[in-house]
Amino acid sequence: MAQSTFDRRRVNGPEESFSPVFDEEDDAELGWTVKHGRGLADIRPIFLQPGLVSQANGSAYIETEKTKLACAVYGPRQSKTTTYSERGRLNVEVKFAPFSCVRRRSPLRDAEDRAVAIAVYQSIVSSICLELFPKSTIDVFIVVIENDGIEGCIASGSIAASTALADAGIEMLGLVASCSAGVRGDEIRLDPVEKEAAAADGTVILACMPALSSITNVYQSGRVSVQGALKCMELCQDRCIDVHAVMAQSLLSSRTSTG
Amino acid sequence: MTGLSKVEISYIRSSLLSDPPLRADGRAPEDFRPIAVETGVAPLANGSARVSIGQPRAGRGHEAEGAGGGTEVVAAVKLEVDGVGDDEEGGKVICSVSCSPAAYPHLSSPALDDLQSDLTSLLGSVLSHPSLCPQNLVIVPGQKAWALRLDTIVFADAGNVVDCLMLACRAALVDTRVPSTRSVEYRAPGRQSGTLNEVPDDLMDVDQSRNGPSSMLETRDPSSAVDFELADYWDEGKVLESRDSWPVCVTLNMLPTIHFLDATSQEETAVPLRLHTMFSFPGGKPTSHGMRMAGAGTSDMTQIGLLLKHAEKYARNMWIGLEAKLAEEEARRSVKAREKFYGGRRR
Amino acid sequence: MSVVPDEKKPTPTNQVQSDELRAQIFQRLHPHAYLDRFLVEGVRPDGRTPEEWRDAFINVGSVSTADGSALVRIGGTTIVCGVKAEIAEPELDTPDQGFLVPNIDLPAICSPKFKPGPPSEEAQVLSERLNAALVSTQLLPLTTLCIEPGRSVWCLYVDATCINYDGNAFDAALLAMVAALRNTTLPVATYNEETGRTTCRSRTTRHPLSLNRDKLITGLSFGVVPTPSVPLDPTAFEEPLLIRAFSVVVDVQGRVVFVEGGVCGKSGTDYDGDEGSTLIEKSIQAAQERAKILHQLLQ
Amino acid sequence: MDLDDLETGEYRLTCPGETITSAHDFMRGHGTYVDDELVIASVAGTVQRVNKLVTVRAARSRYNAEVGDLVVGRITEVQPRRWKVDANSRQDAVLMLSSVNLPGGVQRRKLESDELQMRTFFEEGDLLVAEVQAFFADGAMSLHTRSLKFGKLRNGQLVVVPPVLVRRLKSHFIALPCGVDLILGLNGYIWVCKHMQDADHGDEGFDAEAVYSNQNDEIDGPTRLAISRVSSIIRVLADHFVPLTDTLFLEAYNWLIEQEVNTKDLILGDLGDAMVAATCSVR
């Protein structure tokens, strides 16, 4: 929104500026009735392509309709810190492009970047064999190009990060797939878009390794009943098997195309 | 502190897995250390609470390592008047956590910053969720609202800091009073004013603050209320509307076959995987406000299903305990507040 | 990682692998000599001739959260640019002019040489050059961004983010910014005298920006190496080896509107006056030809 | 126990800056300084006098090492030919590679290969018991583990108490009858572990595998319970600022068993008070 502080490292605009205000307002209640022609248990189609960033050790670009983000993996490389660590360190940094949200984001790091980074970190950290990389750091960088709900962002970010790690040839226990769900009343919708998530009572994000049927992350917000949350997790876990297939397919086809 | 040695970690883990499970201080897996709650600790705040888990060994410095000690947190709520943006309903909850460097003497300052922002984002994602925003933070619909700043400070961390933080937050929020306000309206003379005047000797037309979504219809009406004033009355104000929804947190530390509660720092190091669950029981009905898995390790559906059932039970016990304590504190408080107000007047 | 000794008879596949390995080691240890060997033969490490451009690709309007957007790829270099329009008060001395705020971000994702955090020196210099190019050419007359003189104007934040950095970010970023601006549409905004507020009527009724059609610009970058050739469109490997680099900005009619010395490379061996001017003439010619192709892409 | 022989026979407490006596008649000791011909306290604590020497013993301070002290420490860093050890002192202590027993005989020479595998002996976080050997010029203490009594610690847990509570005893290795061993580090770190058999001693019996092992032995439930009990006793005694002796542990332990107290209730406070009252009054 407003660019409050003068930053001599960037080209600066006016001291203050505001998002345009529209006379006709969207009704927030309409969020849940958003039409997108998919069933409650359907997720958005995933376009996933590994190896897009040629400079990185591994990378992936993911697009699920309006959620678009790129992820690159650098490492394992020597940790900067001097203290010895027996296990490798995983570092996840998330950056939203200034134009990625409905309101312009200031280019400075904010709390949401960090929140998404922590969630993605939790999703993928247990899948990596960090004990094989003493003294090393694996950097995972994510740039969100277009954001359609923080839930989708975390889920897609985890998928892209896991794919990029596999693309970088880093040893892992399994691929991490992730899926989100929104609950309103008794109705559960998988992979909600931003408006749906805003209109929902609560949301659940699940990350798991379908190959090992183990869960690496559970992230629930808003209000949900225990039964509702468990039901969401089960539905998400089922859907993650499909996501896993997409990930495996994209990795295999990228391998065969590059020879 | 350089963490624990491998043998210490394996000793803690194997003790927990032995039958019956055993912990360093003799507790059973589902036992908490003694919890102390005190509200109204910050006189200048609109609501505040101090919570400690385990016995704080204040003033004994770094000996917290290995020797137990306690986790101690203070939470305080300050209300600030804030403009309402064009597409906002008004009222917001802003959380922040700061960690005293004394609580983490072994952390470098960037690591401390990271920890603070991690805890802040955890608290914020649960407590600042729109579903918890109290309706009565609106002062003048479409114009002004209270911004609720919930600041917490971690004074000592001997493990299980998240549960302690959430307890302190709930206690402080329940302790919070929103000052009574009345909207002030400027009207052309001669117009009929249908106002309810609580204090008759007021000079201006006053209108009792109208809260809730019903008044949202008038936000674009230029002749409606534009400003407000504070009521001068012994009562400090009204409680927050969603006070029965602010959740408590129970952290379940997970080993493959068992789980345990209220881990000490050593236990947290030895058993990194945990599940934070936030529950509230408005009207006795359990509602989950947040779940976060943290730490390296994996779980599975059956374990999580089981954990959640247990978590609900533990959270309910904690909720009931906290409610009883808060009711006690409240009784004490209103007497104190009344005395303070009239005492101040007489002087 | 050891080179297979010569006396050993390697199997054919081993032979290929070890040759590749040796080339890699040579490239890492003596990058200058490595590049020179190629240029002497009239080719470059990526197979291009020194006078060859990399393929360019533009995709516009894919980011729905932006008021205008473009994705540009030149070879491996990928840049996404989005325009966000906001409303601001104009400066006192220019009450009828809006703002155009171009910035480029080179995040840690795009290359191992960038770290997370505030903009690197390279990003700061690039932002300044892009700003200079966009402002000096008057591609977008700022008066067209005025809503109510002295009260309310549009402020266009043109933010480019590099996803993959393989050299020549200037060309790609400028192309992305111009394409994004061409793609940008603004809602109809009105200033209400009474309330002092600016509002837009509808999200759907939108108008494109009034760009100066004949001022559409493209940037073209060249490198200077000791050998008498000017490798254009340098890659990330070549960039640090150049002793000089410069960029030419050409408009739609082929007029040169902007020439600037580059950021990378160290000064030192300069060409003699004559040699230097023919070099520049040659490059400008190359730029004009290339510009035609890019303009077609933009249309 | 009471060694100070102030003529008045009473304890005197003092604070930094307080004048104690004249510098003409007395010599200044630790915890004091001389200004304007007066001996002035520089720490808060009790005044002690031995003949003409006046010292102030701080009520609470970090550990002040002396040569020959037994300490329990934790490795913080592995450096070329040495380990850095946190021993609750002003500086990290140093354990030289040459001051430890290495596998293959106590007297063997240190090889380059030993330098390369220092982490297989001690790594970051490991606890060890050692003796203060000497001091470096900069005041850092040098440790050694060249005895079979010393080395890596296993099979138990660490309890930390203020160093002043650990008195110098005849032996700092205490075997309690409940099957629990105690190692009282003079630096306030106390190791509580399962009783070790005084098995085959002698240089030949030196078993590198066992000395540098990162595996715990099999420990049964009752022993674990006893370890946790003893640890709690130490914590409670330390909370009440009671100097620790071997007899005290025994009495407290027996009291706990007699009263059939659940260990976890000790941390609740009241019971701890009762225990301290019961055991300390006996003496």
Side-chain angles (χ1 to χ4, degrees):
Chain A
M1 181 166 69
Q3 200 171 19
S4 50
T5 49
F6 183 83
D7 185 350
R8 61 176 183 79
R9 290 167 304 198
R10 294 185 175 89
V11 178
N12 288 278
E15 265 177 40
E16 268 193 320
S17 63
F18 305 96
S19 255
V21 180
F22 293 91
D23 288 340
E24 50 171 45
E25 281 301 333
D26 298 336
D27 195 345
E29 287 301 301
L30 284 177
W32 197 249
T33 59
V34 135
K35 282 198 200 98
H36 42 43
R38 58 184 160 106
L40 296 182
D42 290 344
I43 57 171
R44 288 170 277 181
I46 296 174
F47 172 78
L48 180 63
Q49 192 181 351
L52 216 68
V53 182
S54 59
Q55 305 294 307
N57 299 89
S59 62
Y61 172 78
I62 188 166
E63 192 174 316
T64 58
E65 285 181 357
K66 284 186 176 173
T67 301
K68 301 184 180 77
L69 54 89
C71 172
V73 172
Y74 290 91
R77 51 188 177 186
Q78 172 84 43
S79 291
K80 295 284 173 293
T81 51
T82 46
T83 51
Y84 171 80
S85 63
E86 199 179 358
R87 292 160 59 82
R89 256 169 41 83
L90 175 67
N91 174 36
V92 180
E93 303 255 353
V94 174
K95 195 162 187 169
F96 282 85
F99 48 83
S100 62
C101 301
V102 177
R103 292 183 169 216
R104 179 175 188 265
R105 292 178 85 100
S106 136
L108 304 167
R109 192 173 97 150
D110 63 15
E112 197 165 21
D113 299 1
R114 182 84 192 161
V116 175
I118 296 169
V120 171
Y121 174 92
Q122 178 60 31
S123 298
I124 59 175
V125 69
S126 337
S127 74
I128 308 167
C129 306
L130 285 174
E131 64 277 7
L132 299 176
F133 308 111
K135 300 191 202 175
S136 319
T137 300
I138 298 172
D139 285 304
V140 174
F141 298 123
I142 294 176
V143 169
V144 181
I145 296 165
E146 190 175 347
N147 171 24
D148 192 10
I150 207 74
E151 289 78 13
C153 230
I154 292 174
S156 305
S158 308
I159 297 170
S162 191
T163 311
L165 285 165
D167 185 49
I170 289 168
E171 281 159 273
M172 295 193 286
L173 298 173
L175 286 173
V176 175
S178 184
C179 184
S180 60
V183 192
R184 175 148 152 166
D186 292 329
E187 194 177 292
I188 295 175
R189 283 189 187 193
L190 288 190
D191 197 14
V193 300
E194 189 163 18
K195 281 183 178 165
E196 286 175 299
D201 296 336
T203 55
V204 176
I205 307 166
L206 181 95
C208 60
M209 289 189 276
L212 305 171
S213 58
S214 59
I215 292 170
T216 59
N217 193 11
V218 176
Y219 189 103
Q220 184 252 310
S221 310
R223 303 176 189 226
V224 209
S225 67
V226 172
Q227 290 73 27
L230 281 172
K231 182 90 185 118
C232 284
M233 284 184 221
E234 275 162 25
L235 288 172
C236 285
Q237 201 182 20
D238 285 349
R239 200 51 69 212
C240 279
I241 297 171
D242 302 341
V243 177
H244 185 262
V246 173
M247 295 168 72
Q249 184 57 43
S250 73
L251 279 167
L252 291 178
S253 53
S254 84
R255 279 288 167 276
T256 45
S257 64
T258 55
Chain B
M1 191 170 93
T2 344
L4 299 176
S5 71
K6 281 176 182 158
V7 287
E8 285 177 284
I9 288 170
S10 98
Y11 182 82
I12 293 172
R13 290 179 73 105
S14 55
S15 292
L16 283 164
L17 290 171
S18 66
D19 187 34
L22 202 73
R23 301 170 71 172
D25 47 13
R27 283 183 288 153
E30 67 279 6
D31 282 346
F32 260 80
R33 287 167 284 181
I35 302 175
V37 179
E38 187 189 352
T39 59
V41 293
L44 293 178
N46 298 76
S48 59
R50 182 208 309 275
V51 171
S52 65
I53 298 185
Q55 268 156 354
R57 310 176 92 207
R60 298 211 184 157
H62 78 293
E63 284 144 23
E65 189 201 343
T71 301
E72 191 179 354
V73 165
V74 168
V77 171
K78 279 291 252 187
L79 296 171
E80 286 174 358
V81 179
D82 190 27
V84 176
D86 287 299
D87 45 355
E88 296 167 330
E89 277 191 36
K92 55 187 165 210
V93 177
I94 305 150
C95 301
S96 95
V97 179
S98 47
C99 298
S100 158
Y104 302 92
H106 54 283
L107 283 188
S108 64
S109 79
L112 196 67
D113 286 348
D114 280 352
L115 177 73
Q116 289 180 161
S117 62
D118 288 3
L119 289 172
T120 302
S121 107
L122 172 61
L123 237 57
S125 65
V126 176
L127 297 177
S128 305
H129 196 272
S131 68
L132 279 177
C133 188
Q135 297 277 305
N136 59 341
L137 285 182
V138 177
I139 304 169
V140 182
Q143 297 278 351
K144 294 224 161 60
W146 295 109
L148 191 157
R149 291 193 179 274
L150 175 56
D151 296 306
T152 52
I153 304 173
V154 179
F155 281 111
D157 181 2
N160 202 15
V161 70
V162 178
D163 288 11
C164 196
L165 274 171
M166 290 296 294
L167 270 176
C169 288
R170 171 157 172 82
L173 286 163
V174 168
D175 187 49
T176 299
R177 296 294 181 276
V178 183
S180 319
T181 55
R182 274 165 307 206
S183 305
V184 178
E185 204 171 317
Y186 301 101
R187 287 187 195 162
R191 242 179 87 179
Q192 184 68 39
S193 71
T195 51
L196 294 157
N197 286 3
E198 217 174 337
V199 184
D201 57 357
D202 263 331
L203 294 172
M204 260 181 295
D205 274 349
V206 286
D207 184 8
Q208 258 194 334
S209 85
R210 292 160 301 187
N211 290 327
S214 60
S215 56
M216 288 303 289
L217 296 169
E218 293 160 286
T219 53
R220 294 282 144 75
D221 183 359
S223 72
S224 79
V226 288
D227 212 340
F228 71 96
E229 59 177 20
L230 288 173
D232 192 19
Y233 191 55
W234 73 264
D235 184 25
E236 291 161 282
K238 295 194 173 56
V239 298
L240 289 170
E241 267 175 20
S242 50
R243 85 195 296 228
D244 60 347
S245 301
W246 303 108
V248 293
C249 174
V250 172
T251 300
L252 300 129
N253 301 274
M254 296 148 77
L255 271 171
T257 50
I258 69 151
H259 65 269
F260 60 98
L261 304 181
D262 189 26
T264 61
S265 319
Q266 286 77 29
E267 287 168 334
E268 280 178 355
T269 313
V271 183
L273 186 62
R274 49 190 170 270
L275 181 69
H276 305 294
T277 56
M278 329 277 176
F279 280 98
S280 72
F281 299 87
K285 191 172 153 281
T287 312
S288 169
H289 288 267
M291 270 176 232
R292 299 283 186 283
M293 236 164 100
T298 59
S299 182
D300 57 57
M301 215 53 218
T302 33
Q303 191 188 15
I304 288 188
L306 207 67
L307 285 179
L308 287 185
K309 291 210 175 65
H310 284 297
E312 188 189 315
K313 189 179 73 199
Y314 301 139
R316 191 184 288 275
N317 288 340
M318 189 195 270
W319 179 273
I320 292 168
L322 182 63
E323 283 311 275
K325 178 68 188 165
L326 288 178
E328 200 180 291
E329 287 280 312
E330 197 141 301
R332 195 172 60 89
R333 172 205 164 103
S334 57
V335 172
K336 232 170 57 180
R338 198 185 300 232
E339 274 169 4
K340 199 171 97 192
F341 185 84
Y342 287 114
R345 280 235 152 154
R346 254 175 253 131
R347 245 177 274 131
Chain C
M1 267 249 190
S2 68
V3 183
V4 178
D6 282 347
E7 55 270 23
K8 266 192 189 167
K9 272 271 182 212
T11 60
T13 48
N14 262 350
Q15 179 73 56
V16 173
Q17 274 175 359
S18 73
D19 279 354
E20 207 171 276
L21 199 62
R22 258 184 275 181
Q24 265 179 21
I25 292 170
F26 182 45
Q27 182 183 8
R28 286 288 283 274
L29 290 179
H30 303 286
H32 281 282
Y34 181 82
L35 182 61
D36 284 347
R37 296 261 181 100
F38 275 99
L39 290 177
V40 165
E41 299 291 327
V43 284
R44 295 158 73 175
D46 58 358
R48 288 185 285 158
T49 64
E51 292 81 29
E52 206 174 326
W53 302 91
R54 288 179 289 179
D55 283 342
F57 165 87
I58 304 181
N59 179 18
V60 293
S62 53
V63 180
S64 68
T65 45
D67 296 289
S69 65
L71 180 140
V72 166
R73 268 215 309 268
I74 293 183
T77 299
T78 310
I79 288 183
V80 191
C81 177
V83 177
K84 283 296 253 186
E86 295 200 338
I87 289 166
E89 255 183 54
E91 300 278 1
L92 284 176
D93 48 348
T94 53
D96 58 345
Q97 293 192 3
F99 300 91
L100 184 65
V101 189
N103 270 298
I104 184 162
D105 188 16
L106 300 174
I109 188 176
C110 68
S111 163
K113 67 175 177 174
F114 301 123
K115 299 276 163 285
S120 60
E121 239 170 64
E122 191 167 346
Q124 293 175 40
V125 172
L126 262 181
S127 288
E128 279 306 326
R129 290 174 64 201
L130 290 164
N131 188 28
L134 285 178
V135 169
S136 68
T137 54
Q138 294 208 314
L139 168 65
L140 178 66
L142 293 179
T143 43
T144 62
L145 296 177
C146 182
I147 299 169
E148 179 76 27
R151 296 288 183 187
S152 159
V153 291
W154 285 108
C155 172
L156 298 186
Y157 293 98
V158 185
D159 290 294
T161 298
C162 184
I163 303 296
N164 190 14
Y165 185 93
D166 192 9
N168 201 5
F170 178 74
D171 291 12
L174 189 58
L175 197 60
M177 284 181 170
V178 172
L181 283 171
R182 271 180 58 93
N183 177 245
T184 302
T185 54
L186 294 180
V188 183
T190 44
Y191 179 76
N192 186 329
E193 200 72 53
E194 242 175 79
T195 58
R197 285 165 26 135
T198 308
T199 52
C200 304
R201 210 164 301 130
S202 147
R203 286 182 194 275
T204 43
T205 329
R206 292 174 154 269
H207 295 291
L209 297 175
S210 356
L211 298 176
N212 270 333
R213 291 272 148 197
D214 57 337
K215 297 260 171 70
L216 277 184
I217 47 163
T218 47
L220 304 125
S221 297
F222 302 86
V224 181
V225 288
T227 44
S229 67
V230 181
L232 34 83
D233 189 11
T235 63
F237 167 67
E238 291 162 348
E239 264 183 0
L241 305 176
L242 304 171
I243 52 170
R244 277 261 166 114
F246 61 95
S247 305
V248 178
V249 177
V250 178
D251 71 8
V252 82
Q253 264 108 36
R255 287 175 300 207
V256 176
V257 288
F258 194 76
V259 181
E260 203 195 49
V263 278
C264 46
K266 52 182 186 292
S267 60
T269 41
D270 260 325
Y271 295 107
D272 299 337
D274 278 353
E275 209 176 334
S277 52
T278 48
L279 212 71
I280 290 174
E281 270 167 37
K282 256 176 73 184
S283 0
I284 288 174
Q285 261 177 13
Q288 284 162 340
E289 276 165 38
R290 167 72 162 178
K292 278 181 201 148
I293 302 169
L294 293 183
H295 281 302
Q296 266 166 10
L297 271 179
L298 271 177
Q299 310 294 337
Chain D
M1 204 92 266
D2 221 327
L3 293 172
D4 53 325
D5 56 350
L6 272 176
E7 268 123 335
T8 48
E10 69 190 34
Y11 276 106
R12 206 179 126 198
L13 289 169
T14 184
C15 292
E18 212 168 287
T19 307
I20 303 172
T21 180
S22 147
H24 291 301
D25 306 332
F26 294 95
M27 276 158 42
R28 55 159 227 116
H30 289 297
T32 61
Y33 66 95
V34 172
D35 187 43
D36 201 16
E37 302 186 338
L38 291 170
V39 178
I40 300 172
S42 60
V43 295
T46 49
V47 182
Q48 294 177 336
R49 218 199 80 187
V50 180
N51 294 329
K52 291 283 176 199
L53 180 69
V54 177
T55 56
V56 181
R57 187 179 161 143
R60 217 176 84 79
S61 75
R62 297 212 76 177
Y63 168 58
N64 284 325
E66 284 172 36
V67 172
D69 279 0
L70 179 113
V71 294
V72 171
R74 193 189 287 281
I75 305 281
T76 56
E77 213 178 319
V78 180
Q79 292 184 339
R81 286 189 296 281
R82 73 191 62 195
W83 290 272
K84 287 273 178 189
V85 183
D86 162 37
N88 202 15
S89 186
R90 295 170 194 175
Q91 299 181 41
D92 271 357
V94 172
L95 177 65
M96 301 295 290
L97 179 59
S98 55
S99 309
V100 305
N101 282 334
L102 292 179
V106 181
Q107 296 304 327
R108 84 166 167 84
R109 278 172 55 102
K110 270 48 178 188
L111 303 171
E112 256 179 60
S113 61
D114 293 327
E115 279 180 43
L116 295 176
Q117 48 175 337
M118 283 174 63
R119 262 198 196 93
T120 59
F121 309 136
F122 293 112
E123 63 184 331
E124 286 86 349
D126 278 352
L127 284 168
L128 56 93
V129 53
E131 196 177 70
V132 179
Q133 188 175 31
F135 289 93
F136 290 103
D138 62 357
M141 56 178 163
S142 164
L143 306 176
H144 82 91
T145 61
R146 305 210 74 153
S147 159
L148 291 178
K149 292 186 294 184
F150 303 146
K152 196 179 267 190
L153 294 172
R154 297 186 299 133
N155 301 331
Q157 60 193 33
L158 183 76
V159 184
V160 180
V161 302
V164 288
L165 295 183
V166 182
R167 295 291 175 83
R168 290 194 166 77
L169 303 170
K170 258 189 288 184
S171 170
H172 286 261
F173 293 89
I174 299 169
L176 296 177
C178 52
V180 174
D181 278 6
L182 283 176
I183 301 174
L184 299 174
L186 275 165
N187 55 344
Y189 289 7
I190 298 176
W191 185 247
V192 187
C193 64
K194 178 189 159 186
H195 179 65
M196 300 306 282
Q197 246 63 49
D198 299 326
D200 39 307
H201 265 271
D203 289 355
E204 312 318 314
F206 181 78
D207 182 3
E209 293 283 303
V211 169
Y212 293 112
S213 163
N214 280 326
Q215 297 272 311
N216 285 321
D217 299 340
E218 200 69 23
I219 307 170
D220 55 13
T223 312
R224 284 181 194 273
L225 196 64
I227 290 175
S228 129
R229 243 184 218 139
V230 172
S231 308
S232 298
I233 290 171
I234 297 173
R235 264 184 223 123
V236 171
L237 290 175
D239 276 350
H240 290 79
F241 226 69
V242 181
L244 306 171
T245 61
D246 42 355
T247 45
L248 204 55
F249 294 132
L250 260 183
E251 276 161 24
Y253 192 86
N254 291 336
W255 185 85
L256 272 192
I257 301 294
E258 270 169 38
Q259 308 283 316
E260 289 175 356
V261 170
N262 215 334
T263 320
K264 70 173 179 193
D265 299 329
L266 266 185
I267 54 174
L268 292 177
D270 295 353
L271 260 166
D273 295 343
M275 184 191 84
V276 172
T279 48
C280 294
S281 62
V282 177
R283 301 173 67 245

